Amino acid sequence: MKILLTALACLFPTIGIMAENKIISVDTDKTSMVMQVNPDGKLIHDYYGKKFNGIEPFLIKQYKEQPDNGAGYAPMAYPAYGGLVSIQPALKLTHKDGVQTTDLRYDSHKVTQIDDNREKTEIVLTDPLYDIKVILDYTAYKKEDIITESVTVLNNETGKIAVENIAASYLPLHADDYYLTHFNGIWAAEMQLKEDKLTPGIKSIESKKGLQTTAASNPAFMVSLNQPLNENNGEVYAGALAWSGNFKNTFEIDECDRLHIVAGPNDFASTYYLEPGESLTTPEMIWAYSNTGSGTASRNFHDWVRNYNIAHPEEERAIVLNSWEGAYFDFNEKTITDMIDDAAAIGVEMFVLDDGWFGNGEYARNSDHAGLGDWQVNTEKLPKGIDYLAKYAKNKGLKFGIWIEPEMVNPQSELAQAHPEWIVKSGKRDKIEMRNQLVLDLSNPEVQDFIVTTFDNVLKQSPDISYVKWDANRYISDFGSEYLPEDKQSHFWIDYINGLYAVCDRIREMYPDVTIQLCSSGGARLDMGALKYHDEFWTSDNTNAMDRIFIQYSTNLFYPSLATAAHVSTAPNHQTGLIAPLKFRFDVASSGRLGLELQPKDLKGKEREFAENAIKTYKQIRPIVHHGDLYRLKNPYDGKGWASHQYVSKDKSKAVFFAYSLKYHGRTTYFDTKLQGLDPDKNYRITELNPQGWNKFYGDGQVFPGDYLMNAGISLNIGNPMESTVLLLEEI
Ligand code: DGJ
C-alpha cells in the first residue's frame, strides 16, 4: 500500500496534481486494487488488475468532478445510496431521523503488515452530517494474488439506525462485453456450470434458503472480459463470498456499459437495526484477478484456501469408507464390523458411520422420520456402543468417524418435546417439515450451547473418534425466532449464520485436531465461510462417475481437490441407475479425496483385486492431487464428450493426468491433448495407472521431454463412453 500526497505534485509540474488527491493501492505480487480520494473527499475506485511499476500515473487522472456512479466516469469504491448514486448501492441505511441517504467521505486509513505475506488496509469513511463510520477492510495475500474485503458500519448516532443493505464488496469494471460464469444446481446435480453474456440491467445470483444455500446457486463466480471464459487467456475476475447464509451477488450493466458487481449477504427480509455504539460487519469477499484466464485465478484460489481457509491443509486426507450407500439405516454391530473388516482388507484408512446410529425406543433413528436431536447411541442396534466400534476399527488399522446433523430436529424426538421454543417457525403458523425435520434456532445462544455440548458428548463416546461428518438436510422456510424480539425478527438470517460460526469457533477451539466434513444433502453448503472450519466437503450425493465429472470440474474452479470428497459407489448407481466400469469410477474419484460409498463385501474377485490396487495407486498420487497445481485441459461442458485435467507438483517433478470419455466418438477418433504446467526442460517417465483392457497408452514406461508433452501432446485411444486413462509423470 502506498500513499502519495501533494508533495508528489512537484515531480509532475506539468500535470497539475490537485493538492487533496490521495492514492491508496492494495497490492499483491501480481495485482493491484487502486483507489483515489478526490478533492471533495469521495473515495473513487480507480483500478483492479495487473500490477505495474509505480502508481504515480493514477494521479494524472484526477477526479475533479462529483462521481456519479450511474454513468461511468468515476465509480466510488463503496457506493452508498445518496447523492447521484442510481445503481444498486453497496450500502443503504435509514438514519435515526428517518433520512434515507448516506454520503460517504474519506476520513483516514491505516496499513498494517500482518506478516511477510499479508497486508491489511483499513479505510475509514464518514458522513459529514451523520455520526456513522463505514470501515472498508482489505487484506492483500501477496503470493496467492488474492485480495479480500469486508465492511463494517458503526452507529454513533444518538438513536437506532436501520441497515437495509450492506455489501461485502463492490467492484466496477468497464469493457465491451462481460461473460458471467456461475453455478446452478439442485440436489444430486450441484454446481452445474453456466455461462451468460451479461446484458444491460441486473442479473442477481442469490439464495434465500438460509441453509443449503449452495444447492441451487453458489456465491462464487467468474467474470471474463470481452470473451467467454478461457482457461489460459483473457482477463478474469474471480470472486467468492465467504458466507453460508442468504447471499446476493448482483451484476448490473448501466447506461454507460459499465459493469457494477455488488456482493454480500442478501438484503431479503434482513434489515439490521443498530443501537448507538453497535456495529455490523459483513463476511469477506475474496477476489482474484488474472490476465491469463481462469486457470490462474482458480490456482490462486486453491493456494489461498490451502494456506488460509481450510483445516489441516498439510495433512493428507484419509481414504474413507462411508457407511451410507452400503447400509443406509439398516445395520447392526455385525454389519459395521464386517464393513470395517472388508475395508481394512483393501487398504481403506478411515471408516465413517453415517446416519442411523442414535435415538432410542419410539424415536430410534431407523428412518428419517425420528430421532434427530436425540444424540444417544441406539442400544438396540449398537449395544456395545460407539467406543467398541471405534476401537474395533483402530485394531484393524482404520481411523473412525461419525455422522451428526446437530442443527436439526425431528418432531418425533425427545428434543422436540423438551424444547419446542428452540425450533425455527413463523409465529403461530404451522411448522413446515422437510425430510420430516425442522431447524433449530441458532440465533438463540442456548441452542448454540446445545450444539456445542452435543458435539462434545458425541466425541466423548470414544477417544478414537477422529472424524465427524456434519450434515444439514433441509433449508429454512417460513423463518421466525422465539428468541429474537418482535422488532428484530429480521436479524434472524444474519444471526443464525453468525450463531453457526460461533459454534464452529468453539468446537474448533475444543477439538482442533478432529477432521470435520462439511456436508449438506451433498454439496448444499459449500462456501468459503463454512470451509474454513472444515477439512473437506461432501461434493454431492450423486456418486455416478459420469455426473461427478461435471460436478467436480466446476467445484474445483474454486474449491480445491484435497477437500473434494469423491466416493466410488456400486453399479448400478443408486441415484441414476448408471452401470459404469469400476475403473472409470475409481479414475473419477481418484481426482479428488478418494473414498468408497458401498458395501465392500460386494466387491468380489477381479473387482476386489482392482479396487485394492487402485487404492494403493491413489496413495502414490495423493500428494500430487492434494497439493499440486490443477490444470484443466478439456472442459466436459464443451459438449465434445471428453474431459481431462492434470495436477502438477509445485516443484514440477511429478504430475498426474486424468482423461475421460463421456460418449462414443467413433471407432478411430482419438483424444489428442497437450499437457500443461510441466517444466519444458525436464524429462518425465510416464506410467499408466489402473490400466485395464485393450487400449493401453503407447507411452507407458517411456520417457518424454516436458517440452514435447506440452507442445506435441499425447493421443489416447479412449473413444467409447466411460473409458478413461490416468498417467503418472515422474521426472527422471
Ligand atoms: C445426506 C448426505 O449427503 C448423505 O451422504 C447421508 O449422510 C445422508 N444425508 C444421511 O441422512
Side-chain angles (χ1 to χ4, degrees), residues 451-472:
I451 294 180
V452 173
T453 309
T454 295
F455 192 97
D456 193 27
N457 288 342
V458 167
L459 265 79
K460 275 189 183 136
Q461 294 178 102
S462 169
D464 293 311
I465 299 176
S466 59
Y467 178 112
V468 173
K469 173 174 177 176
W470 182 307
D471 205 345

Side-chain angles (χ1 to χ4, degrees), residues 25 126 192 201 245 252 311 538:
S25 169
T126 50
Q192 301 298 304
E252 177 175 6
W538 181 223

Side-chain angles (χ1 to χ4, degrees), residues 363 372-374 376 409-423 425 440 446-447 450 482:
Y363 301 139
L372 275 182
D374 300 348
Q376 297 79 35
V409 62
N410 283 125
Q412 297 300 309
S413 68
E414 284 176 17
L415 181 69
Q417 323 297 320
H419 287 289
E421 78 285 6
W422 284 1
I423 294 171
K425 58 183 163 301
L440 295 177
E446 274 183 35
V447 175
F450 167 78
E482 264 191 47

Side-chain angles (χ1 to χ4, degrees), residues 494-552:
I494 289 187
D495 287 1
Y496 182 97
I497 298 299
N498 284 336
L500 174 67
Y501 291 164
V503 165
C504 291
D505 279 326
R506 288 165 65 187
I507 284 172
R508 271 305 180 196
E509 182 95 20
M510 292 159 71
Y511 291 99
D513 299 330
V514 167
T515 302
I516 309 181
Q517 187 190 66
L518 173 61
C519 170
S520 176
S521 280
R525 184 190 268 167
L526 174 54
D527 65 90
M528 297 297 179
L531 187 58
K532 87 163 183 249
Y533 297 104
H534 297 79
D535 299 66
E536 59 172 40
F537 50 85
W538 181 223
T539 317
S540 174
D541 271 348
N542 187 343
T543 52
N544 170 0
M546 196 68 120
D547 293 332
R548 273 302 188 107
I549 288 174
F550 291 85
I551 295 172
Q552 290 172 201

Side-chain angles (χ1 to χ4, degrees), residues 324 354-355 365 403 435 469 471 473 519 521-522 538 541:
W324 183 240
D354 207 288
D355 200 350
R365 182 77 172 166
W403 178 96
R435 207 198 190 205
K469 173 174 177 176
D471 205 345
N473 282 298
C519 170
S521 280
W538 181 223
D541 271 348

